[in-house]
Amino acid sequence: MRDHRYLDDLSIDAALARWRAGEAAFAARMTSTTGLTLPMLDRWLADWDLTDRLRRGQREQVRAFLEDTARPLLCGVLSPSADAYALVDQLNFQAVQARITTASLMVLLSRFACSCEPTVYAPLTQYSRRGIQILGRRLDDMSYRTYMLAFAKEKERFAARAATSLLARAAVMDGRPAMPLDVLAMRATDRRLMLAGGFPPERLEAMVAAAKAETLAPMPVTSRTITSDVGTTPSAPVQPLPAQPAVTPERSLLLPTRSPSLAPSGRPAVGRGSVQRHIAPQAGRAVG
């Protein structure tokens, strides 16, 4: 039986694997001046396993909504907040009101928001929602805002554990896309909540195995830059954190910690003309 620490490490490894496999490139593209074309939308849908979410005739209408309405708003959000989370609910409501779709686009929109600002937004899935509830956090409604406020609290518990585990095995390598620590905290927490909600760990293990087959070298880690598939800029290495003592799992499956967490603070706004975005060094406390 897989223990809690193994599932923590699996979540981290899966986050790293997906960042390298596509999330890094899309995060850079969404904040660049490159327009969202139908071929690019198709690649993004396939990368997020959303191809079957849209009928063939919906694609152009959804593409226009994402490019003209959602993308400019989401890419301008640089700090987590209740209002930032509510923006995704508003976009979903607007899409339904405009009859872009006859059903909620929340699954798609939350993933799109994650591609636009991965330090602010996380995907909303049935597994992660169930995981939040299993951990004892109440979700009084179905809104994305309510979910993300609960998510931020679990991220705060998990972030330092993720950093410690990663930095213990991190090394500078061959110019692959670097993964900022604040993004890692978001994406690893997302996977950990999915596992808590019943997502099969075998699927994450297969993802990690495929990434290791491609290269045996570890990912580079930085708290400063997101890079795209068009190039990488080196940044100052992050100093390893001291090892965490062994912790007996409590009610939460995410290991609690009193170490500093990794949420960004005061990131400078960057225009969409830049393919590479800079992220400020980690601050002392995550979002509550």
Side-chain angles (χ1 to χ4, degrees), residues 34-51:
T34 304
L36 182 62
T37 62
L38 277 177
M40 182 179 173
L41 175 63
D42 287 340
R43 290 194 298 272
W44 181 83
L45 290 170
D47 189 70
W48 283 93
D49 196 23
L50 293 171
T51 302

PDB file of all heavy atoms in Angstrom, residues 34-51:
ATOM      1  N   THR A  34       1.353  35.854 -29.406  1.00  0.00           N
ATOM      2  CA  THR A  34       0.833  34.854 -30.336  1.00  0.00           C
ATOM      3  C   THR A  34      -0.661  34.683 -30.150  1.00  0.00           C
ATOM      4  O   THR A  34      -1.129  34.442 -29.028  1.00  0.00           O
ATOM      5  CB  THR A  34       1.520  33.496 -30.117  1.00  0.00           C
ATOM      6  OG1 THR A  34       2.926  33.660 -30.242  1.00  0.00           O
ATOM      7  CG2 THR A  34       1.021  32.458 -31.113  1.00  0.00           C
ATOM      8  N   GLY A  35      -1.442  34.819 -31.201  1.00  0.00           N
ATOM      9  CA  GLY A  35      -2.881  34.654 -31.114  1.00  0.00           C
ATOM     10  C   GLY A  35      -3.260  33.188 -30.938  1.00  0.00           C
ATOM     11  O   GLY A  35      -2.535  32.279 -31.344  1.00  0.00           O
ATOM     12  N   LEU A  36      -4.401  32.963 -30.305  1.00  0.00           N
ATOM     13  CA  LEU A  36      -4.909  31.608 -30.107  1.00  0.00           C
ATOM     14  C   LEU A  36      -5.626  31.164 -31.382  1.00  0.00           C
ATOM     15  O   LEU A  36      -6.763  31.545 -31.643  1.00  0.00           O
ATOM     16  CB  LEU A  36      -5.861  31.562 -28.911  1.00  0.00           C
ATOM     17  CG  LEU A  36      -6.446  30.185 -28.561  1.00  0.00           C
ATOM     18  CD1 LEU A  36      -5.338  29.208 -28.181  1.00  0.00           C
ATOM     19  CD2 LEU A  36      -7.456  30.314 -27.432  1.00  0.00           C
ATOM     20  N   THR A  37      -4.949  30.368 -32.190  1.00  0.00           N
ATOM     21  CA  THR A  37      -5.518  29.873 -33.438  1.00  0.00           C
ATOM     22  C   THR A  37      -6.225  28.539 -33.190  1.00  0.00           C
ATOM     23  O   THR A  37      -6.062  27.918 -32.134  1.00  0.00           O
ATOM     24  CB  THR A  37      -4.416  29.666 -34.483  1.00  0.00           C
ATOM     25  OG1 THR A  37      -3.503  28.665 -33.995  1.00  0.00           O
ATOM     26  CG2 THR A  37      -3.657  30.966 -34.743  1.00  0.00           C
ATOM     27  N   LEU A  38      -6.993  28.089 -34.172  1.00  0.00           N
ATOM     28  CA  LEU A  38      -7.656  26.789 -34.035  1.00  0.00           C
ATOM     29  C   LEU A  38      -6.657  25.641 -33.893  1.00  0.00           C
ATOM     30  O   LEU A  38      -6.854  24.759 -33.049  1.00  0.00           O
ATOM     31  CB  LEU A  38      -8.600  26.547 -35.216  1.00  0.00           C
ATOM     32  CG  LEU A  38      -9.985  27.189 -35.101  1.00  0.00           C
ATOM     33  CD1 LEU A  38     -10.801  26.937 -36.361  1.00  0.00           C
ATOM     34  CD2 LEU A  38     -10.741  26.681 -33.875  1.00  0.00           C
ATOM     35  N   PRO A  39      -5.587  25.599 -34.689  1.00  0.00           N
ATOM     36  CA  PRO A  39      -4.603  24.534 -34.482  1.00  0.00           C
ATOM     37  C   PRO A  39      -3.987  24.565 -33.088  1.00  0.00           C
ATOM     38  O   PRO A  39      -3.785  23.516 -32.467  1.00  0.00           O
ATOM     39  CB  PRO A  39      -3.549  24.805 -35.567  1.00  0.00           C
ATOM     40  CG  PRO A  39      -4.295  25.511 -36.647  1.00  0.00           C
ATOM     41  CD  PRO A  39      -5.287  26.368 -35.923  1.00  0.00           C
ATOM     42  N   MET A  40      -3.710  25.784 -32.576  1.00  0.00           N
ATOM     43  CA  MET A  40      -3.157  25.883 -31.234  1.00  0.00           C
ATOM     44  C   MET A  40      -4.187  25.439 -30.198  1.00  0.00           C
ATOM     45  O   MET A  40      -3.850  24.750 -29.231  1.00  0.00           O
ATOM     46  CB  MET A  40      -2.710  27.318 -30.953  1.00  0.00           C
ATOM     47  CG  MET A  40      -2.067  27.503 -29.580  1.00  0.00           C
ATOM     48  SD  MET A  40      -1.526  29.218 -29.325  1.00  0.00           S
ATOM     49  CE  MET A  40      -1.024  29.153 -27.605  1.00  0.00           C
ATOM     50  N   LEU A  41      -5.443  25.805 -30.384  1.00  0.00           N
ATOM     51  CA  LEU A  41      -6.493  25.360 -29.473  1.00  0.00           C
ATOM     52  C   LEU A  41      -6.601  23.845 -29.476  1.00  0.00           C
ATOM     53  O   LEU A  41      -6.739  23.218 -28.421  1.00  0.00           O
ATOM     54  CB  LEU A  41      -7.837  25.983 -29.864  1.00  0.00           C
ATOM     55  CG  LEU A  41      -9.048  25.501 -29.050  1.00  0.00           C
ATOM     56  CD1 LEU A  41      -8.899  25.865 -27.579  1.00  0.00           C
ATOM     57  CD2 LEU A  41     -10.347  26.081 -29.627  1.00  0.00           C
ATOM     58  N   ASP A  42      -6.529  23.241 -30.659  1.00  0.00           N
ATOM     59  CA  ASP A  42      -6.604  21.783 -30.746  1.00  0.00           C
ATOM     60  C   ASP A  42      -5.455  21.120 -29.999  1.00  0.00           C
ATOM     61  O   ASP A  42      -5.645  20.106 -29.311  1.00  0.00           O
ATOM     62  CB  ASP A  42      -6.604  21.338 -32.211  1.00  0.00           C
ATOM     63  CG  ASP A  42      -7.921  21.626 -32.916  1.00  0.00           C
ATOM     64  OD1 ASP A  42      -8.931  21.807 -32.207  1.00  0.00           O
ATOM     65  OD2 ASP A  42      -7.943  21.669 -34.158  1.00  0.00           O
ATOM     66  N   ARG A  43      -4.254  21.693 -30.124  1.00  0.00           N
ATOM     67  CA  ARG A  43      -3.107  21.140 -29.398  1.00  0.00           C
ATOM     68  C   ARG A  43      -3.288  21.292 -27.892  1.00  0.00           C
ATOM     69  O   ARG A  43      -2.960  20.389 -27.115  1.00  0.00           O
ATOM     70  CB  ARG A  43      -1.806  21.817 -29.852  1.00  0.00           C
ATOM     71  CG  ARG A  43      -1.382  21.463 -31.268  1.00  0.00           C
ATOM     72  CD  ARG A  43       0.054  21.875 -31.543  1.00  0.00           C
ATOM     73  NE  ARG A  43       0.259  23.313 -31.428  1.00  0.00           N
ATOM     74  CZ  ARG A  43       0.089  24.176 -32.419  1.00  0.00           C
ATOM     75  NH1 ARG A  43      -0.302  23.741 -33.606  1.00  0.00           N
ATOM     76  NH2 ARG A  43       0.315  25.469 -32.240  1.00  0.00           N
ATOM     77  N   TRP A  44      -3.813  22.453 -27.492  1.00  0.00           N
ATOM     78  CA  TRP A  44      -4.042  22.686 -26.064  1.00  0.00           C
ATOM     79  C   TRP A  44      -5.102  21.727 -25.519  1.00  0.00           C
ATOM     80  O   TRP A  44      -4.936  21.157 -24.444  1.00  0.00           O
ATOM     81  CB  TRP A  44      -4.465  24.138 -25.844  1.00  0.00           C
ATOM     82  CG  TRP A  44      -4.705  24.463 -24.400  1.00  0.00           C
ATOM     83  CD1 TRP A  44      -3.763  24.804 -23.472  1.00  0.00           C
ATOM     84  CD2 TRP A  44      -5.959  24.460 -23.723  1.00  0.00           C
ATOM     85  NE1 TRP A  44      -4.361  25.014 -22.245  1.00  0.00           N
ATOM     86  CE2 TRP A  44      -5.709  24.809 -22.370  1.00  0.00           C
ATOM     87  CE3 TRP A  44      -7.275  24.198 -24.128  1.00  0.00           C
ATOM     88  CZ2 TRP A  44      -6.723  24.905 -21.424  1.00  0.00           C
ATOM     89  CZ3 TRP A  44      -8.291  24.292 -23.179  1.00  0.00           C
ATOM     90  CH2 TRP A  44      -8.010  24.634 -21.853  1.00  0.00           C
ATOM     91  N   LEU A  45      -6.188  21.537 -26.264  1.00  0.00           N
ATOM     92  CA  LEU A  45      -7.236  20.609 -25.827  1.00  0.00           C
ATOM     93  C   LEU A  45      -6.690  19.192 -25.687  1.00  0.00           C
ATOM     94  O   LEU A  45      -6.991  18.488 -24.716  1.00  0.00           O
ATOM     95  CB  LEU A  45      -8.397  20.623 -26.829  1.00  0.00           C
ATOM     96  CG  LEU A  45      -9.255  21.887 -26.869  1.00  0.00           C
ATOM     97  CD1 LEU A  45     -10.190  21.857 -28.071  1.00  0.00           C
ATOM     98  CD2 LEU A  45     -10.059  22.055 -25.579  1.00  0.00           C
ATOM     99  N   ALA A  46      -5.886  18.770 -26.654  1.00  0.00           N
ATOM    100  CA  ALA A  46      -5.307  17.427 -26.588  1.00  0.00           C
ATOM    101  C   ALA A  46      -4.349  17.302 -25.417  1.00  0.00           C
ATOM    102  O   ALA A  46      -4.332  16.281 -24.716  1.00  0.00           O
ATOM    103  CB  ALA A  46      -4.588  17.106 -27.897  1.00  0.00           C
ATOM    104  N   ASP A  47      -3.568  18.353 -25.163  1.00  0.00           N
ATOM    105  CA  ASP A  47      -2.599  18.315 -24.072  1.00  0.00           C
ATOM    106  C   ASP A  47      -3.283  18.191 -22.716  1.00  0.00           C
ATOM    107  O   ASP A  47      -2.767  17.554 -21.801  1.00  0.00           O
ATOM    108  CB  ASP A  47      -1.745  19.587 -24.114  1.00  0.00           C
ATOM    109  CG  ASP A  47      -0.569  19.541 -23.154  1.00  0.00           C
ATOM    110  OD1 ASP A  47       0.355  18.760 -23.423  1.00  0.00           O
ATOM    111  OD2 ASP A  47      -0.586  20.275 -22.148  1.00  0.00           O
ATOM    112  N   TRP A  48      -4.467  18.788 -22.585  1.00  0.00           N
ATOM    113  CA  TRP A  48      -5.219  18.733 -21.330  1.00  0.00           C
ATOM    114  C   TRP A  48      -6.303  17.656 -21.351  1.00  0.00           C
ATOM    115  O   TRP A  48      -7.155  17.610 -20.460  1.00  0.00           O
ATOM    116  CB  TRP A  48      -5.845  20.094 -21.036  1.00  0.00           C
ATOM    117  CG  TRP A  48      -4.859  21.093 -20.509  1.00  0.00           C
ATOM    118  CD1 TRP A  48      -4.140  21.993 -21.231  1.00  0.00           C
ATOM    119  CD2 TRP A  48      -4.498  21.298 -19.141  1.00  0.00           C
ATOM    120  NE1 TRP A  48      -3.343  22.746 -20.402  1.00  0.00           N
ATOM    121  CE2 TRP A  48      -3.547  22.349 -19.118  1.00  0.00           C
ATOM    122  CE3 TRP A  48      -4.880  20.709 -17.939  1.00  0.00           C
ATOM    123  CZ2 TRP A  48      -2.968  22.804 -17.936  1.00  0.00           C
ATOM    124  CZ3 TRP A  48      -4.313  21.175 -16.762  1.00  0.00           C
ATOM    125  CH2 TRP A  48      -3.373  22.207 -16.768  1.00  0.00           C
ATOM    126  N   ASP A  49      -6.287  16.806 -22.354  1.00  0.00           N
ATOM    127  CA  ASP A  49      -7.258  15.709 -22.459  1.00  0.00           C
ATOM    128  C   ASP A  49      -8.692  16.232 -22.473  1.00  0.00           C
ATOM    129  O   ASP A  49      -9.584  15.710 -21.804  1.00  0.00           O
ATOM    130  CB  ASP A  49      -7.070  14.719 -21.307  1.00  0.00           C
ATOM    131  CG  ASP A  49      -7.757  13.379 -21.571  1.00  0.00           C
ATOM    132  OD1 ASP A  49      -7.977  13.056 -22.747  1.00  0.00           O
ATOM    133  OD2 ASP A  49      -8.083  12.670 -20.584  1.00  0.00           O
ATOM    134  N   LEU A  50      -8.922  17.273 -23.285  1.00  0.00           N
ATOM    135  CA  LEU A  50     -10.233  17.914 -23.364  1.00  0.00           C
ATOM    136  C   LEU A  50     -10.833  17.848 -24.761  1.00  0.00           C
ATOM    137  O   LEU A  50     -11.831  18.511 -25.034  1.00  0.00           O
ATOM    138  CB  LEU A  50     -10.122  19.386 -22.946  1.00  0.00           C
ATOM    139  CG  LEU A  50      -9.785  19.675 -21.483  1.00  0.00           C
ATOM    140  CD1 LEU A  50      -9.493  21.157 -21.303  1.00  0.00           C
ATOM    141  CD2 LEU A  50     -10.908  19.239 -20.558  1.00  0.00           C
ATOM    142  N   THR A  51     -10.245  17.067 -25.630  1.00  0.00           N
ATOM    143  CA  THR A  51     -10.679  17.047 -27.030  1.00  0.00           C
ATOM    144  C   THR A  51     -12.154  16.729 -27.171  1.00  0.00           C
ATOM    145  O   THR A  51     -12.860  17.306 -28.008  1.00  0.00           O
ATOM    146  CB  THR A  51      -9.838  16.049 -27.831  1.00  0.00           C
ATOM    147  OG1 THR A  51      -8.456  16.418 -27.734  1.00  0.00           O
ATOM    148  CG2 THR A  51     -10.249  16.048 -29.292  1.00  0.00           C
TER     149      THR A  51
END
